């Protein structure tokens, strides 16, 4: 399976109804897939970090089988607005 940052971004945005998604391909020397993502979604409202990460992991379940390293940051729209003001 050929994974791209754009493919992951579109899937996260669509499935989690995210208002903002950033995906960075952090694969060193293209030896194994590694990605870092930031997802901002209202679906995270009222959910602890573990539940937010489970939502992302469920969304990308098939893709994660082919990803060596995966780092995620999940924020609500309110948290994202506060972080951008810093």
């Amino acid at each position: 399976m050929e994974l791209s940052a754009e493919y992951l971004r579109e899937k996260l945005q669509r499935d989690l109804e995210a208002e903002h998604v950033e995906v960075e391909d952090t694969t060193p020397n293209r030896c194994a897939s590694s990605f870092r993502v930031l997802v901002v979604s209202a679906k995270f409202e009222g959910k602890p970090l573990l539940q937010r990460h489970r939502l992302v992991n469920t969304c990308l379940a098939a893709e994660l089988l082919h990803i060596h390293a995966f780092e995620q940051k999940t924020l609500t729209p309110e948290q994202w607005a506060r972080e951008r003001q810093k």
Side-chain angles (χ1 to χ4, degrees):
M1 173 181 273
E2 182 65 34
L3 295 173
S4 70
E6 183 64 21
Y7 171 83
L8 295 177
R9 187 188 67 73
E10 288 175 2
K11 185 164 187 186
L12 288 164
Q13 199 156 28
R14 180 183 64 244
D15 293 0
L16 295 177
E17 300 168 15
E19 72 175 48
H20 182 81
V21 178
E22 294 175 14
V23 180
E24 180 184 355
D25 186 343
T26 58
T27 306
N29 305 325
R30 301 283 177 213
C31 61
S33 298
S34 296
F35 293 94
R36 177 180 300 128
V37 301
L38 164 65
V39 184
V40 179
S41 174
K43 286 191 171 195
F44 300 147
E45 296 281 354
K47 290 184 174 48
L49 187 62
L50 185 59
Q51 285 183 345
R52 294 175 184 198
H53 285 196
R54 283 182 179 151
L55 285 171
V56 172
N57 292 348
T58 299
C59 173
L60 298 179
E63 292 78 10
L64 287 173
L65 296 173
H66 305 279
I67 294 175
H68 176 73
F70 187 73
E71 179 183 336
Q72 60 180 293
K73 183 172 186 177
T74 51
L75 300 172
T76 65
E78 183 180 318
Q79 289 170 323
W80 175 237
R82 278 197 313 263
E83 192 160 296
R84 286 188 313 188
Q85 288 175 349
K86 292 179 183 177

